Amino acid sequence: MGFGIIDFIVRGLHYYSSAAALLLLLLLLLLPVALTPRLYYNYKQQKQKQKQKKKAATKLPPGTVGLPVIGETLKLIAAYKSENPEPFIAERVRRHGVRLFTTHVFGERTVFSADPDFNRLLLCSEGRSVECSYPSSISTLLGRHSLLLIPAGPAHRRLHSLTLTRLASPAALRDHGLVHIDHLVARTMSSWLPHPHDQGHGQGVRVLLLDQAKKLTFDLTVKQLLSIDPGPWTEALRCEYVLLIDAFFSIPLPSFLAFSFTTYGRAIKARKKVAEALREAIREKIEERSRRRDQEAGEQPMNGHKKDMLEELLEGEAAGSFSLSEEEIVDFLLALLVAGYETTSTSITLAVKFLTENPSALVLLRDEQDKIRAMKEDESGALDWTDYKSMPFTQCVISETLRVANIVSGVFRRAVTDINYKGYTIPKGCKIFASLRAVHMDEEYFKSAPVFDPWRWQASDAFHQQVASTGVFSPFGGGARLCPGYELARVVISVFLHHLVTRFSWEAAEEDRLVFFPTTRTLKGYPILVRPRAHTHIDQRPC
Ligand code: HEM
């Protein structure tokens, strides 16, 4: 009986486990069948998502490429030749609902950006996902070794930092730059004083402001780079420079077609002459250095000798920190002369134009500068670094001038990898124009953007922090190619405004208007009639 029950239980368990095993097997067999639709569904969904992602990833920013070959070039030029170029970008941004759009200008498909985040991304990606890409006319005329065109990397970093520390850092400006600037500005303006025997000078002396500002910035840069004082040599060099810069935005012709009656042909010829003059200056500097070394060996050390940029380059080369050929030095110097020439002089001219048109801003600025002048023991005493640092309203005027009419309205780049941004892809090889101006004129960041309002820069710290940290105000670019001349430019404009408002009163001699193509400037170079203010001293410092 006992065994019978046990046997029954064992058999029962046996049957039971066999049935369970069978059931399990059945379940295992049926599971894939049951799960297949689910798996298939998931698989399909995943595929679809991947497809969507891929589609979004290959999507160019929206836009139209306009007419065959010329694309939208004529529309762009027409807009930038007017006083209000904003609609070209603003209308497209509004139409597509995004601050990035694709167009076709100057023979190439180009993505325009009016998006401060994307602009910042581009400026900071130099040498990684983008590279500098200027029209070929500019690279031929500047030379491929110029700072603006050297690819980002150690060589570029070294020369960029040399430019900054030697020429334009606050320390360099405080220690020696500011003295030269003050002296040259004062001297330039002394030539505006009427001759005592001139009849009818009550109407004022006519000054073509842009021309004077250009001459001044050129002479200043030559002095800083080569230690050569203004004179016939610098004037002859400047005439060649004018021809060279004229062709920056012209169509680059092959050398056999670059006849001397074309703008481009004249510019190529001028470049040769400028390069030869610079080569001559290099040779003279080498001789001068060896003469100085001989004198020092003969125990006549030349204490207090300040090295100019060319000497720094030659010494750097001798010490092995640089290895630059003569051709590389020529390109480097030539481009530095160009970089500060148009930019600073145009900014000076525009600051004066805006002040003329905004008398209340002029009153405040003059008041600030008169106080600085009144503190000088010597009436014609030069400005020093402390004076420069005591001009808060003047700095507001300069910032506002750079915002409303920056000479560099944007920077060109080329994608060297595919760039994904906000669901769009800018393919490798595509040209990109990061418009700094479009952001400066965007109502979202600057209320009443078209209005010249220097007081906006007196706003709270929060405003300053916002414009600095978000990159919405970037007249000097950013990243590896941040303009090394940003402080130098501010100092030159400040010193110019100081001497102008403390020594003269003026009025516009003619109606003049702003245009933005090929560069930002006033159409007539802003002619003004200047009169000395009652107390004006004649600058008698030696040249
Ligand atoms: C108001 C005056 C100026 C403005 C608005 C200005 C603006 C700019 C901007 C936006 C860039 C960046 C270009 C880019 O990223 O492709 C730049 C680069 C440059 N600027 Fe200026 N600039 C001014 C004055 C000067 C001066 C006085 C100098 C003389 C030292 C100078 C020398 C340069 C150089 C050498 C570069 C090329 C830097 C590089 O590629 O590493 N600039 N400038």
Side-chain angles (χ1 to χ4, degrees):
M1 167 83 181
F3 275 110
I5 290 172
I6 290 167
D7 184 52
F8 176 76
I9 291 170
V10 169
R11 271 166 193 269
L13 277 175
H14 177 76
Y15 281 126
Y16 191 69
S17 61
S18 303
L22 210 70
L23 204 67
L24 202 67
L25 192 70
L26 209 67
L27 267 174
L28 279 174
L29 283 173
L30 284 177
L31 199 65
V33 179
L35 286 181
T36 300
R38 182 79 218 155
L39 285 173
Y40 183 68
Y41 176 76
N42 284 351
Y43 169 78
K44 269 295 226 197
Q45 284 255 313
Q46 216 172 350
K47 267 279 184 214
Q48 206 168 348
K49 266 189 199 160
Q50 272 174 2
K51 223 169 152 183
Q52 271 172 357
K53 224 171 161 181
K54 206 169 164 192
K55 200 172 157 202
T58 50
K59 202 167 73 173
L60 259 172
T64 44
V65 289
L67 298 169
V69 188
I70 54 169
E72 298 194 291
T73 311
L74 297 180
K75 284 185 188 166
L76 177 109
I77 293 178
Y80 279 76
K81 272 193 165 174
S82 77
E83 249 183 308
N84 179 24
E86 268 55 73
F88 183 82
I89 292 183
E91 268 172 18
R92 285 161 179 77
V93 166
R94 207 173 307 122
R95 195 184 315 150
H96 304 299
V98 50
R99 287 190 169 90
L100 281 187
F101 64 88
T102 308
T103 177
H104 192 285
V105 286
F106 302 111
E108 243 187 291
R109 184 179 63 183
T110 307
V111 169
F112 267 56
S113 162
D115 178 335
D117 294 336
F118 188 63
N119 287 358
R120 203 150 52 112
L121 184 85
L122 286 181
L123 292 172
C124 296
S125 304
E126 181 72 26
R128 293 192 301 277
S129 49
V130 293
E131 62 184 14
C132 214
S133 172
Y134 283 93
S136 63
S137 49
I138 293 188
S139 40
T140 310
L141 295 171
L142 281 187
R144 62 196 168 95
H145 304 296
S146 74
L147 193 54
L148 195 67
L149 303 168
I150 306 175
H156 171 263
R157 266 198 302 279
R158 258 202 317 271
L159 288 174
H160 188 278
S161 132
L162 178 75
T163 311
L164 189 66
T165 50
R166 179 66 210 117
L167 200 67
S169 68
L173 289 162
R174 186 191 54 221
D175 296 346
H176 44 93
L178 186 52
V179 180
H180 290 314
I181 296 167
D182 187 87
H183 177 71
L184 262 177
V185 172
R187 216 178 80 140
T188 303
M189 288 188 190
S190 292
S191 69
W192 301 356
L193 291 168
H195 196 274
H197 305 300
D198 260 6
Q199 295 294 312
H201 61 68
Q203 290 166 3
V205 173
R206 189 183 159 98
V207 168
L208 196 55
L209 197 59
L210 183 60
D211 206 44
Q212 291 284 298
K214 279 185 172 176
K215 185 170 154 29
L216 170 80
T217 47
F218 190 79
D219 288 348
L220 187 72
T221 320
V222 172
K223 176 83 185 161
Q224 286 174 313
L225 296 182
L226 310 169
S227 303
I228 297 175
D229 285 315
W233 190 86
T234 50
E235 207 38 37
L237 193 67
R238 193 170 80 91
C239 291
E240 300 301 335
Y241 256 87
V242 173
L243 296 176
L244 194 145
I245 293 171
D246 269 356
F248 265 21
F249 294 94
S250 64
I251 298 164
L253 300 166
S255 51
F256 68 95
L257 281 179
F259 301 115
S260 53
F261 58 82
T262 64
T263 311
Y264 192 68
R266 274 198 300 270
I268 293 280
K269 224 166 136 190
R271 194 208 188 272
K272 281 189 190 136
K273 285 191 190 164
V274 171
E276 194 39 53
L278 291 174
R279 266 185 224 114
E280 214 175 283
I282 295 172
R283 277 175 229 133
E284 272 174 27
K285 186 67 75 184
I286 292 172
E287 280 170 25
E288 189 192 305
R289 278 179 69 227
S290 78
R291 268 201 308 274
R292 195 168 332 114
R293 265 203 302 268
D294 290 347
Q295 274 177 340
E296 282 171 0
E299 288 174 18
Q300 285 177 338
M302 298 190 63
N303 288 335
H305 169 74
K306 291 265 181 296
K307 282 183 228 150
D308 55 43
M309 175 67 94
L310 179 53
E311 275 177 282
E312 287 287 343
L313 286 171
L314 294 172
E315 280 188 11
E317 221 220 341
S321 9
F322 295 109
S323 124
L324 297 175
S325 63
E326 191 179 75
E327 191 198 341
E328 285 169 321
I329 297 182
V330 165
D331 284 3
F332 178 70
L333 295 175
L334 190 145
L336 273 185
L337 272 163
V338 171
Y341 179 63
E342 288 275 327
T343 48
T344 313
S345 53
T346 306
S347 304
I348 288 174
T349 310
L350 295 177
V352 175
K353 183 178 190 301
F354 292 140
L355 283 171
T356 316
E357 290 162 4
N358 291 273
S360 48
L362 177 57
V363 167
L364 255 174
L365 186 132
R366 179 170 272 149
D367 192 39
E368 181 171 276
Q369 297 297 346
D370 277 348
K371 280 186 188 137
I372 293 172
R373 181 64 25 209
M375 300 281 282
K376 295 271 157 209
E377 281 173 21
D378 171 8
E379 203 194 345
S380 61
L383 290 174
D384 59 29
W385 192 251
T386 317
D387 299 326
Y388 169 64
K389 285 289 166 193
S390 327
M391 306 178 176
F393 188 69
T394 306
Q395 294 314 312
C396 295
V397 168
I398 296 173
S399 296
E400 188 63 351
T401 303
L402 293 172
R403 185 189 70 79
V404 176
N406 189 11
I407 169 100
V408 185
S409 66
V411 298
F412 280 105
R413 296 291 185 264
R414 190 177 295 284
V416 289
T417 60
D418 285 357
I419 302 173
N420 298 316
Y421 184 74
K422 290 189 176 167
Y424 298 109
T425 295
I426 293 140
K428 181 178 169 182
C430 186
K431 191 120 178 171
I432 309 168
F433 181 72
S435 174
L436 309 173
R437 180 178 170 81
V439 181
H440 294 170
M441 299 307 277
D442 193 323
E443 289 284 330
E444 191 170 325
Y445 309 111
F446 298 97
K447 285 203 181 70
S448 309
V451 179
F452 176 82
D453 172 13
W455 290 273
R456 74 173 79 235
W457 297 97
Q458 289 182 320
S460 64
D461 283 349
F463 173 75
H464 283 272
Q465 259 166 18
Q466 194 221 343
V467 292
S469 63
T470 52
V472 297
F473 182 60
S474 45
F476 295 103
R481 292 198 184 274
L482 170 71
C483 171
Y486 67 93
E487 189 78 59
L488 172 61
R490 276 190 178 270
V491 171
V492 177
I493 304 169
S494 306
V495 174
F496 191 94
L497 290 177
H498 171 84
H499 286 285
L500 179 69
V501 301
T502 55
R503 296 173 67 182
F504 296 95
S505 61
W506 74 91
E507 68 206 45
E510 281 175 49
E511 276 284 306
D512 200 0
R513 67 178 180 89
L514 262 173
V515 286
F516 298 87
F517 187 85
T519 53
T520 307
R521 70 206 150 89
T522 66
L523 213 53
K524 297 178 183 167
Y526 206 51
I528 53 173
L529 291 171
V530 294
R531 274 175 228 95
R533 282 173 77 193
H535 64 273
T536 296
H537 58 271
I538 308 249
D539 191 76
Q540 287 175 342
R541 280 174 273 164
C543 297

